[in-house]
């Protein structure tokens, strides 16, 4: 019947409003996390810019390397020297970031960590030049990560407006539903079914 159809629609509408309201409650925490990420990325981009000069420079185990291949080969040596670490081991600095040797979360793979305001992971490579290229990719990728964070912040602002609208939207068939209920009550009264 038409009344049952309208009741189903109202139930779906109320469910959608409740879900929108619940999502609205989660937005402040998500927004705060994104703003924090944005700030960290901006600081680290500035750190990288301030420490990117004309030539290459990497400090490893107290020694400055000005050639990429030499630095990469020294990193391979440091990997061998610290083959059985359990905790992060600081091994130098690169482009303003502290450089650590660490294990991944599973403990099964070795990784490099670059630490500024944030911490960034770089996988190892088989070659000396490959290691340096991967570290550069991490630092150069900060801009892309920042753009993604800014896009997420913008989308969240749009989502908030949409969710607020959805959570406050009245049921469009409320008047019809009220009339159908009134008619059903009148018919039941005439039939003596009240």
């Amino acid at each position: 019947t038409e009344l049952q159809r309208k009741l189903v629609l109202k139930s779906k509408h109320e469910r959608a409003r409740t879900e929108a309201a619940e999502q609205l409650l989660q937005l402040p925490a998500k927004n705060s996390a994104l703003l924090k990420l944005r700030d960290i990325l901006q600081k680290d981009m500035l750190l990288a810019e301030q420490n990117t000069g004309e030539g290459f420079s990497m400090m490893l185990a107290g020694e400055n390397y000005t050639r990429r291949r030499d630095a990469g080969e020294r990193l391979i040596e440091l990997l061998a020297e610290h083959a059985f670490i359990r905790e992060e081991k600081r091994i130098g600095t690169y482009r303003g970031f502290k450089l650590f040797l660490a294990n991944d979360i599973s403990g099964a793979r070795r990784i490099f960590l670059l630490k500024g305001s944030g911490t960034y992971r770089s996988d190892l490579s088989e070659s000396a030049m490959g290691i340096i290229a991967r570290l550069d990719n991490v630092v150069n990728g900060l801009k892309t990560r920042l753009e993604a964070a800014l896009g997420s912040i913008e989308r969240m602002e749009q989502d908030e407006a949409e969710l607020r609208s959805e959570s406050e939207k009245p049921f469009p068939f409320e008047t019809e539903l009220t009339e159908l209920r009134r008619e059903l009550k009148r018919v039941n009264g005439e039939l003596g079914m009240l």
Side-chain angles (χ1 to χ4, degrees):
T1 69
E2 186 63 19
L3 177 60
Q4 290 172 328
R5 192 176 79 73
K6 294 287 193 233
L7 287 171
V8 168
L9 287 174
K10 180 162 184 157
S11 175
K12 288 180 181 179
H13 175 79
E14 289 302 319
R15 202 170 325 123
R17 284 183 62 184
T18 301
E19 288 173 7
E22 288 172 358
Q23 289 178 19
L24 268 173
L25 292 175
Q26 297 170 2
L27 283 183
K30 289 180 180 178
N31 192 47
S32 177
L34 281 170
L35 292 174
K36 184 178 177 182
L37 176 62
R38 176 203 63 194
D39 294 345
I40 287 169
L41 289 168
Q42 287 174 334
K43 288 177 188 174
D44 285 343
M45 282 182 59
L46 182 61
L47 177 68
E49 287 172 17
Q50 292 171 342
N51 289 281
T52 302
E54 290 295 315
F56 176 84
S57 178
M58 180 182 280
M59 183 68 69
L60 294 170
E63 190 175 339
N64 190 38
Y65 291 83
T66 56
R67 292 187 47 212
R68 291 176 178 276
R69 181 170 305 284
D70 294 341
E73 288 171 357
R74 180 65 178 128
L75 283 169
I76 290 171
E77 290 171 6
L78 287 169
L79 282 166
E81 290 172 21
H82 303 287
F84 300 104
I85 63 169
R86 291 181 187 258
E87 296 181 7
E88 296 174 4
K89 169 90 174 142
R90 184 166 178 192
I91 57 173
T93 57
Y94 183 55
R95 293 177 70 179
F97 294 87
K98 297 172 188 164
L99 180 60
F100 290 81
L101 181 59
N103 294 318
D104 68 359
I105 292 174
S106 71
R109 290 182 18 181
R110 307 290 292 290
I111 58 172
F112 290 115
L113 298 177
L114 290 164
K115 292 187 178 187
S117 294
T119 299
Y120 311 95
R121 170 192 166 138
S122 175
D123 290 322
L124 304 181
S125 173
E126 297 293 321
S127 72
M129 294 301 286
I131 289 175
I132 302 301
R134 286 186 181 203
L135 291 170
D136 279 335
N137 289 343
V138 170
V139 176
N140 295 337
L142 294 175
K143 182 178 181 183
T144 303
R145 291 173 108 171
L146 176 61
E147 290 169 355
L150 293 174
S152 293
I153 290 168
E154 187 177 315
R155 279 190 304 281
M156 188 169 296
E157 290 169 356
Q158 294 168 353
D159 290 348
E160 181 178 11
E162 290 172 14
L163 288 169
R164 193 167 306 288
S165 172
E166 183 69 28
S167 71
E168 296 170 354
K169 189 188 318 180
F171 181 55
F173 304 109
E174 192 64 48
T175 304
E176 293 173 40
L177 182 60
T178 302
E179 289 173 14
L180 287 169
R181 284 181 173 155
R182 198 176 299 133
E183 179 64 19
L184 179 62
K185 188 175 181 181
R186 184 190 64 74
V187 169
N188 284 340
E190 287 178 8
L191 295 173
M193 297 177 64
L194 289 178

